[in-house]
Amino acid sequence: MSTQDPLAAPRLEHFADLQVEVGAPQVLGQGPQGLRRVVPILGGSAQGHGWRAKVLPGGSDFQWIVSDTLSHLDARYGLETDAGDLIYVQNRAVRAAPAEVMARLLRGEPVDPASIYFRCSPSLETSSAALQWVNERMFVGAGVRHPAQVVMRFFTLL
């Protein structure tokens, strides 16, 4: 019989670092629930332990600017590993900051990453036999937004 507590807090294991290149936001306008924006994903790279991938162009980050201090993000894009494996990523995130910092960020200005709460919950999906395990795990991460790039670190929940 196992002595491990099945309800113990999950541990984190580093999965990958990503650099996602992004384009200018398309502002769709103010709706009843907030401002809607779509940010194109242009490319980038990912690196894990023993593997590398490119971020495929053509994805988008669908943003919902809830208030002057809070944004909900839903990015969807693909990765292609150096081995040719394809991974679909859907990454939901929360980004919060004081109003003046958020305003600068939304204008595309550089801001101090320490002044922004940026946490994410990526889901990964693949048909690759070598990477099937990613379909069966949960991931969390943290991010930093630069004017033309999003840098993130993803962790596997153990």
Side-chain angles (χ1 to χ4, degrees), residues 40-79:
I41 294 175
L42 307 176
S45 62
Q47 182 174 348
H49 297 285
W51 64 276
R52 292 180 172 274
K54 63 182 173 183
V55 176
L56 299 173
S60 293
D61 183 5
F62 301 92
Q63 301 184 346
W64 172 26
I65 314 306
V66 179
S67 71
D68 60 353
T69 62
L70 176 64
S71 299
H72 289 270
L73 315 175
D74 184 3
R76 299 167 189 229
Y77 53 93
L79 301 175

mmCIF file of all heavy atoms in Angstrom, residues 40-79:
data_model
loop_
_atom_site.group_PDB
_atom_site.id
_atom_site.type_symbol
_atom_site.label_atom_id
_atom_site.label_comp_id
_atom_site.label_asym_id
_atom_site.label_seq_id
_atom_site.Cartn_x
_atom_site.Cartn_y
_atom_site.Cartn_z
ATOM 1 N N PRO A 40 -2.560 38.397 -33.480
ATOM 2 C CA PRO A 40 -2.034 37.306 -34.317
ATOM 3 C C PRO A 40 -0.722 36.746 -33.766
ATOM 4 O O PRO A 40 0.115 37.495 -33.264
ATOM 5 C CB PRO A 40 -1.809 37.971 -35.673
ATOM 6 C CG PRO A 40 -1.702 39.427 -35.390
ATOM 7 C CD PRO A 40 -2.483 39.694 -34.148
ATOM 8 N N ILE A 41 -0.584 35.439 -33.857
ATOM 9 C CA ILE A 41 0.657 34.765 -33.476
ATOM 10 C C ILE A 41 1.437 34.513 -34.757
ATOM 11 O O ILE A 41 0.955 33.853 -35.677
ATOM 12 C CB ILE A 41 0.352 33.477 -32.697
ATOM 13 C CG1 ILE A 41 -0.296 33.863 -31.364
ATOM 14 C CG2 ILE A 41 1.612 32.646 -32.503
ATOM 15 C CD1 ILE A 41 -0.774 32.720 -30.525
ATOM 16 N N LEU A 42 2.644 35.072 -34.811
ATOM 17 C CA LEU A 42 3.446 35.081 -36.033
ATOM 18 C C LEU A 42 4.500 33.985 -36.098
ATOM 19 O O LEU A 42 4.988 33.655 -37.174
ATOM 20 C CB LEU A 42 4.138 36.443 -36.170
ATOM 21 C CG LEU A 42 3.220 37.663 -36.084
ATOM 22 C CD1 LEU A 42 4.039 38.946 -36.129
ATOM 23 C CD2 LEU A 42 2.178 37.626 -37.186
ATOM 24 N N GLY A 43 4.870 33.415 -34.969
ATOM 25 C CA GLY A 43 5.926 32.407 -34.927
ATOM 26 C C GLY A 43 6.564 32.391 -33.562
ATOM 27 O O GLY A 43 6.009 32.886 -32.585
ATOM 28 N N GLY A 44 7.772 31.832 -33.501
ATOM 29 C CA GLY A 44 8.497 31.784 -32.253
ATOM 30 C C GLY A 44 9.151 30.437 -32.054
ATOM 31 O O GLY A 44 9.313 29.649 -33.003
ATOM 32 N N SER A 45 9.521 30.153 -30.806
ATOM 33 C CA SER A 45 10.228 28.910 -30.515
ATOM 34 C C SER A 45 9.849 28.401 -29.130
ATOM 35 O O SER A 45 9.341 29.138 -28.287
ATOM 36 C CB SER A 45 11.740 29.135 -30.588
ATOM 37 O OG SER A 45 12.148 30.081 -29.609
ATOM 38 N N ALA A 46 10.107 27.116 -28.928
ATOM 39 C CA ALA A 46 9.897 26.467 -27.639
ATOM 40 C C ALA A 46 11.063 25.531 -27.403
ATOM 41 O O ALA A 46 11.613 24.960 -28.357
ATOM 42 C CB ALA A 46 8.580 25.691 -27.630
ATOM 43 N N GLN A 47 11.431 25.391 -26.138
ATOM 44 C CA GLN A 47 12.520 24.475 -25.801
ATOM 45 C C GLN A 47 12.224 23.801 -24.483
ATOM 46 O O GLN A 47 11.908 24.463 -23.487
ATOM 47 C CB GLN A 47 13.843 25.221 -25.707
ATOM 48 C CG GLN A 47 15.004 24.316 -25.408
ATOM 49 C CD GLN A 47 16.337 25.030 -25.463
ATOM 50 O OE1 GLN A 47 16.430 26.147 -25.936
ATOM 51 N NE2 GLN A 47 17.367 24.373 -24.970
ATOM 52 N N GLY A 48 12.279 22.476 -24.498
ATOM 53 C CA GLY A 48 12.111 21.679 -23.290
ATOM 54 C C GLY A 48 13.377 20.891 -23.039
ATOM 55 O O GLY A 48 14.423 21.161 -23.641
ATOM 56 N N HIS A 49 13.296 19.898 -22.182
ATOM 57 C CA HIS A 49 14.454 19.064 -21.874
ATOM 58 C C HIS A 49 14.657 18.051 -23.007
ATOM 59 O O HIS A 49 13.881 17.113 -23.154
ATOM 60 C CB HIS A 49 14.257 18.356 -20.531
ATOM 61 C CG HIS A 49 14.149 19.313 -19.391
ATOM 62 N ND1 HIS A 49 15.236 19.978 -18.882
ATOM 63 C CD2 HIS A 49 13.079 19.754 -18.695
ATOM 64 C CE1 HIS A 49 14.844 20.778 -17.906
ATOM 65 N NE2 HIS A 49 13.531 20.665 -17.779
ATOM 66 N N GLY A 50 15.657 18.287 -23.841
ATOM 67 C CA GLY A 50 15.973 17.373 -24.933
ATOM 68 C C GLY A 50 15.154 17.571 -26.189
ATOM 69 O O GLY A 50 15.215 16.734 -27.086
ATOM 70 N N TRP A 51 14.400 18.637 -26.287
ATOM 71 C CA TRP A 51 13.629 18.871 -27.504
ATOM 72 C C TRP A 51 13.477 20.361 -27.766
ATOM 73 O O TRP A 51 13.572 21.183 -26.885
ATOM 74 C CB TRP A 51 12.254 18.200 -27.435
ATOM 75 C CG TRP A 51 11.359 18.739 -26.363
ATOM 76 C CD1 TRP A 51 11.338 18.369 -25.053
ATOM 77 C CD2 TRP A 51 10.366 19.758 -26.498
ATOM 78 N NE1 TRP A 51 10.390 19.088 -24.366
ATOM 79 C CE2 TRP A 51 9.781 19.962 -25.230
ATOM 80 C CE3 TRP A 51 9.915 20.524 -27.567
ATOM 81 C CZ2 TRP A 51 8.768 20.876 -25.002
ATOM 82 C CZ3 TRP A 51 8.899 21.454 -27.334
ATOM 83 C CH2 TRP A 51 8.335 21.614 -26.071
ATOM 84 N N ARG A 52 13.241 20.683 -29.027
ATOM 85 C CA ARG A 52 12.988 22.054 -29.480
ATOM 86 C C ARG A 52 11.813 22.020 -30.439
ATOM 87 O O ARG A 52 11.543 21.009 -31.080
ATOM 88 C CB ARG A 52 14.193 22.616 -30.233
ATOM 89 C CG ARG A 52 15.403 22.857 -29.383
ATOM 90 C CD ARG A 52 16.541 23.422 -30.265
ATOM 91 N NE ARG A 52 17.648 23.848 -29.470
ATOM 92 C CZ ARG A 52 17.757 25.051 -28.914
ATOM 93 N NH1 ARG A 52 16.819 25.935 -29.091
ATOM 94 N NH2 ARG A 52 18.804 25.357 -28.181
ATOM 95 N N ALA A 53 11.145 23.165 -30.553
ATOM 96 C CA ALA A 53 10.022 23.270 -31.487
ATOM 97 C C ALA A 53 9.929 24.703 -31.978
ATOM 98 O O ALA A 53 10.452 25.626 -31.349
ATOM 99 C CB ALA A 53 8.717 22.852 -30.817
ATOM 100 N N LYS A 54 9.263 24.843 -33.110
ATOM 101 C CA LYS A 54 8.936 26.188 -33.570
ATOM 102 C C LYS A 54 7.453 26.418 -33.340
ATOM 103 O O LYS A 54 6.641 25.484 -33.396
ATOM 104 C CB LYS A 54 9.323 26.389 -35.034
ATOM 105 C CG LYS A 54 8.602 25.500 -36.011
ATOM 106 C CD LYS A 54 9.099 25.746 -37.431
ATOM 107 C CE LYS A 54 8.501 24.739 -38.375
ATOM 108 N NZ LYS A 54 8.990 24.882 -39.742
ATOM 109 N N VAL A 55 7.117 27.675 -33.039
ATOM 110 C CA VAL A 55 5.722 28.075 -32.944
ATOM 111 C C VAL A 55 5.260 28.356 -34.364
ATOM 112 O O VAL A 55 5.876 29.162 -35.076
ATOM 113 C CB VAL A 55 5.561 29.332 -32.055
ATOM 114 C CG1 VAL A 55 4.110 29.799 -32.053
ATOM 115 C CG2 VAL A 55 6.045 29.056 -30.636
ATOM 116 N N LEU A 56 4.222 27.694 -34.790
ATOM 117 C CA LEU A 56 3.734 27.849 -36.160
ATOM 118 C C LEU A 56 2.946 29.156 -36.297
ATOM 119 O O LEU A 56 2.143 29.498 -35.428
ATOM 120 C CB LEU A 56 2.858 26.663 -36.541
ATOM 121 C CG LEU A 56 3.564 25.302 -36.498
ATOM 122 C CD1 LEU A 56 2.568 24.176 -36.722
ATOM 123 C CD2 LEU A 56 4.694 25.254 -37.524
ATOM 124 N N PRO A 57 3.164 29.875 -37.380
ATOM 125 C CA PRO A 57 2.373 31.094 -37.604
ATOM 126 C C PRO A 57 0.919 30.729 -37.894
ATOM 127 O O PRO A 57 0.627 29.623 -38.353
ATOM 128 C CB PRO A 57 3.036 31.733 -38.823
ATOM 129 C CG PRO A 57 3.766 30.620 -39.503
ATOM 130 C CD PRO A 57 4.118 29.619 -38.451
ATOM 131 N N GLY A 58 0.023 31.655 -37.612
ATOM 132 C CA GLY A 58 -1.388 31.438 -37.934
ATOM 133 C C GLY A 58 -2.288 31.314 -36.725
ATOM 134 O O GLY A 58 -3.505 31.332 -36.869
ATOM 135 N N GLY A 59 -1.714 31.203 -35.547
ATOM 136 C CA GLY A 59 -2.536 31.151 -34.347
ATOM 137 C C GLY A 59 -2.974 32.544 -33.937
ATOM 138 O O GLY A 59 -2.586 33.552 -34.541
ATOM 139 N N SER A 60 -3.785 32.609 -32.899
ATOM 140 C CA SER A 60 -4.264 33.896 -32.387
ATOM 141 C C SER A 60 -4.437 33.830 -30.885
ATOM 142 O O SER A 60 -4.685 32.770 -30.316
ATOM 143 C CB SER A 60 -5.612 34.273 -33.006
ATOM 144 O OG SER A 60 -5.487 34.529 -34.382
ATOM 145 N N ASP A 61 -4.332 34.993 -30.276
ATOM 146 C CA ASP A 61 -4.622 35.168 -28.861
ATOM 147 C C ASP A 61 -5.886 36.010 -28.775
ATOM 148 O O ASP A 61 -5.887 37.188 -29.128
ATOM 149 C CB ASP A 61 -3.451 35.863 -28.164
ATOM 150 C CG ASP A 61 -3.658 36.016 -26.668
ATOM 151 O OD1 ASP A 61 -4.664 35.510 -26.133
ATOM 152 O OD2 ASP A 61 -2.804 36.659 -26.019
ATOM 153 N N PHE A 62 -6.982 35.383 -28.335
ATOM 154 C CA PHE A 62 -8.270 36.069 -28.216
ATOM 155 C C PHE A 62 -8.333 36.689 -26.827
ATOM 156 O O PHE A 62 -8.282 35.967 -25.827
ATOM 157 C CB PHE A 62 -9.415 35.073 -28.440
ATOM 158 C CG PHE A 62 -9.342 34.425 -29.794
ATOM 159 C CD1 PHE A 62 -8.676 33.219 -29.969
ATOM 160 C CD2 PHE A 62 -9.916 35.034 -30.894
ATOM 161 C CE1 PHE A 62 -8.594 32.622 -31.213
ATOM 162 C CE2 PHE A 62 -9.837 34.445 -32.146
ATOM 163 C CZ PHE A 62 -9.172 33.244 -32.307
ATOM 164 N N GLN A 63 -8.418 37.998 -26.779
ATOM 165 C CA GLN A 63 -8.344 38.711 -25.511
ATOM 166 C C GLN A 63 -9.664 39.368 -25.164
ATOM 167 O O GLN A 63 -10.332 39.924 -26.021
ATOM 168 C CB GLN A 63 -7.245 39.766 -25.567
ATOM 169 C CG GLN A 63 -5.885 39.174 -25.848
ATOM 170 C CD GLN A 63 -4.775 40.204 -25.816
ATOM 171 O OE1 GLN A 63 -5.014 41.409 -25.830
ATOM 172 N NE2 GLN A 63 -3.552 39.726 -25.765
ATOM 173 N N TRP A 64 -9.971 39.307 -23.880
ATOM 174 C CA TRP A 64 -11.159 39.931 -23.329
ATOM 175 C C TRP A 64 -10.671 40.856 -22.231
ATOM 176 O O TRP A 64 -10.204 40.402 -21.186
ATOM 177 C CB TRP A 64 -12.095 38.853 -22.802
ATOM 178 C CG TRP A 64 -13.290 39.307 -22.039
ATOM 179 C CD1 TRP A 64 -13.941 40.504 -22.133
ATOM 180 C CD2 TRP A 64 -13.995 38.559 -21.057
ATOM 181 N NE1 TRP A 64 -15.010 40.543 -21.283
ATOM 182 C CE2 TRP A 64 -15.066 39.352 -20.599
ATOM 183 C CE3 TRP A 64 -13.838 37.295 -20.524
ATOM 184 C CZ2 TRP A 64 -15.954 38.924 -19.632
ATOM 185 C CZ3 TRP A 64 -14.737 36.868 -19.565
ATOM 186 C CH2 TRP A 64 -15.780 37.663 -19.136
ATOM 187 N N ILE A 65 -10.722 42.154 -22.489
ATOM 188 C CA ILE A 65 -10.287 43.149 -21.528
ATOM 189 C C ILE A 65 -11.484 43.439 -20.629
ATOM 190 O O ILE A 65 -12.385 44.189 -20.990
ATOM 191 C CB ILE A 65 -9.764 44.433 -22.219
ATOM 192 C CG1 ILE A 65 -8.813 44.091 -23.369
ATOM 193 C CG2 ILE A 65 -9.124 45.364 -21.200
ATOM 194 C CD1 ILE A 65 -7.650 43.207 -23.027
ATOM 195 N N VAL A 66 -11.513 42.812 -19.479
ATOM 196 C CA VAL A 66 -12.656 42.842 -18.581
ATOM 197 C C VAL A 66 -12.803 44.203 -17.907
ATOM 198 O O VAL A 66 -13.910 44.716 -17.760
ATOM 199 C CB VAL A 66 -12.514 41.733 -17.507
ATOM 200 C CG1 VAL A 66 -13.674 41.757 -16.536
ATOM 201 C CG2 VAL A 66 -12.388 40.376 -18.164
ATOM 202 N N SER A 67 -11.673 44.782 -17.483
ATOM 203 C CA SER A 67 -11.688 46.070 -16.789
ATOM 204 C C SER A 67 -10.350 46.759 -17.035
ATOM 205 O O SER A 67 -9.502 46.231 -17.755
ATOM 206 C CB SER A 67 -11.910 45.865 -15.290
ATOM 207 O OG SER A 67 -10.760 45.285 -14.692
ATOM 208 N N ASP A 68 -10.144 47.887 -16.416
ATOM 209 C CA ASP A 68 -8.874 48.588 -16.614
ATOM 210 C C ASP A 68 -7.722 47.928 -15.859
ATOM 211 O O ASP A 68 -6.572 48.342 -15.988
ATOM 212 C CB ASP A 68 -8.996 50.073 -16.245
ATOM 213 C CG ASP A 68 -9.401 50.304 -14.799
ATOM 214 O OD1 ASP A 68 -9.718 49.324 -14.091
ATOM 215 O OD2 ASP A 68 -9.400 51.481 -14.387
ATOM 216 N N THR A 69 -7.998 46.835 -15.120
ATOM 217 C CA THR A 69 -6.944 46.120 -14.404
ATOM 218 C C THR A 69 -6.868 44.629 -14.725
ATOM 219 O O THR A 69 -5.959 43.943 -14.259
ATOM 220 C CB THR A 69 -7.134 46.257 -12.878
ATOM 221 O OG1 THR A 69 -8.384 45.666 -12.505
ATOM 222 C CG2 THR A 69 -7.080 47.713 -12.437
ATOM 223 N N LEU A 70 -7.805 44.110 -15.520
ATOM 224 C CA LEU A 70 -7.902 42.660 -15.715
ATOM 225 C C LEU A 70 -8.177 42.284 -17.165
ATOM 226 O O LEU A 70 -9.073 42.846 -17.798
ATOM 227 C CB LEU A 70 -9.031 42.104 -14.828
ATOM 228 C CG LEU A 70 -9.350 40.617 -14.958
ATOM 229 C CD1 LEU A 70 -8.167 39.772 -14.514
ATOM 230 C CD2 LEU A 70 -10.598 40.279 -14.158
ATOM 231 N N SER A 71 -7.420 41.285 -17.656
ATOM 232 C CA SER A 71 -7.639 40.708 -18.991
ATOM 233 C C SER A 71 -7.679 39.186 -18.874
ATOM 234 O O SER A 71 -6.908 38.592 -18.123
ATOM 235 C CB SER A 71 -6.507 41.076 -19.946
ATOM 236 O OG SER A 71 -6.402 42.453 -20.111
ATOM 237 N N HIS A 72 -8.577 38.577 -19.657
ATOM 238 C CA HIS A 72 -8.607 37.129 -19.818
ATOM 239 C C HIS A 72 -8.113 36.832 -21.232
ATOM 240 O O HIS A 72 -8.569 37.461 -22.191
ATOM 241 C CB HIS A 72 -10.024 36.580 -19.634
ATOM 242 C CG HIS A 72 -10.511 36.643 -18.232
ATOM 243 N ND1 HIS A 72 -10.319 35.621 -17.338
ATOM 244 C CD2 HIS A 72 -11.167 37.612 -17.553
ATOM 245 C CE1 HIS A 72 -10.844 35.954 -16.174
ATOM 246 N NE2 HIS A 72 -11.366 37.166 -16.285
ATOM 247 N N LEU A 73 -7.203 35.866 -21.363
ATOM 248 C CA LEU A 73 -6.589 35.541 -22.643
ATOM 249 C C LEU A 73 -6.886 34.086 -23.005
ATOM 250 O O LEU A 73 -6.970 33.229 -22.128
ATOM 251 C CB LEU A 73 -5.078 35.760 -22.574
ATOM 252 C CG LEU A 73 -4.604 37.063 -21.913
ATOM 253 C CD1 LEU A 73 -3.091 37.077 -21.807
ATOM 254 C CD2 LEU A 73 -5.117 38.266 -22.662
ATOM 255 N N ASP A 74 -7.008 33.825 -24.285
ATOM 256 C CA ASP A 74 -7.229 32.470 -24.790
ATOM 257 C C ASP A 74 -6.456 32.339 -26.097
ATOM 258 O O ASP A 74 -6.968 32.676 -27.167
ATOM 259 C CB ASP A 74 -8.723 32.228 -24.996
ATOM 260 C CG ASP A 74 -9.040 30.808 -25.431
ATOM 261 O OD1 ASP A 74 -8.123 29.963 -25.529
ATOM 262 O OD2 ASP A 74 -10.228 30.538 -25.699
ATOM 263 N N ALA A 75 -5.208 31.880 -25.984
ATOM 264 C CA ALA A 75 -4.337 31.735 -27.156
ATOM 265 C C ALA A 75 -4.418 30.313 -27.697
ATOM 266 O O ALA A 75 -4.449 29.350 -26.930
ATOM 267 C CB ALA A 75 -2.901 32.080 -26.796
ATOM 268 N N ARG A 76 -4.436 30.213 -29.039
ATOM 269 C CA ARG A 76 -4.499 28.906 -29.702
ATOM 270 C C ARG A 76 -3.514 28.913 -30.853
ATOM 271 O O ARG A 76 -3.573 29.791 -31.725
ATOM 272 C CB ARG A 76 -5.917 28.647 -30.210
ATOM 273 C CG ARG A 76 -6.932 28.617 -29.076
ATOM 274 C CD ARG A 76 -8.343 28.671 -29.594
ATOM 275 N NE ARG A 76 -9.284 28.843 -28.493
ATOM 276 C CZ ARG A 76 -10.361 28.106 -28.337
ATOM 277 N NH1 ARG A 76 -10.664 27.166 -29.203
ATOM 278 N NH2 ARG A 76 -11.154 28.327 -27.306
ATOM 279 N N TYR A 77 -2.604 27.933 -30.825
ATOM 280 C CA TYR A 77 -1.548 27.880 -31.836
ATOM 281 C C TYR A 77 -0.939 26.487 -31.882
ATOM 282 O O TYR A 77 -1.260 25.627 -31.058
ATOM 283 C CB TYR A 77 -0.471 28.931 -31.568
ATOM 284 C CG TYR A 77 0.107 28.910 -30.177
ATOM 285 C CD1 TYR A 77 1.255 28.186 -29.885
ATOM 286 C CD2 TYR A 77 -0.504 29.624 -29.146
ATOM 287 C CE1 TYR A 77 1.782 28.178 -28.602
ATOM 288 C CE2 TYR A 77 0.012 29.619 -27.867
ATOM 289 C CZ TYR A 77 1.155 28.895 -27.595
ATOM 290 O OH TYR A 77 1.674 28.888 -26.329
ATOM 291 N N GLY A 78 -0.077 26.267 -32.843
ATOM 292 C CA GLY A 78 0.568 24.981 -33.014
ATOM 293 C C GLY A 78 2.067 25.069 -32.803
ATOM 294 O O GLY A 78 2.682 26.117 -33.029
ATOM 295 N N LEU A 79 2.639 23.942 -32.377
ATOM 296 C CA LEU A 79 4.089 23.767 -32.288
ATOM 297 C C LEU A 79 4.483 22.632 -33.208
ATOM 298 O O LEU A 79 3.728 21.668 -33.373
ATOM 299 C CB LEU A 79 4.511 23.387 -30.861
ATOM 300 C CG LEU A 79 4.177 24.322 -29.717
ATOM 301 C CD1 LEU A 79 4.587 23.684 -28.380
ATOM 302 C CD2 LEU A 79 4.848 25.662 -29.899
#
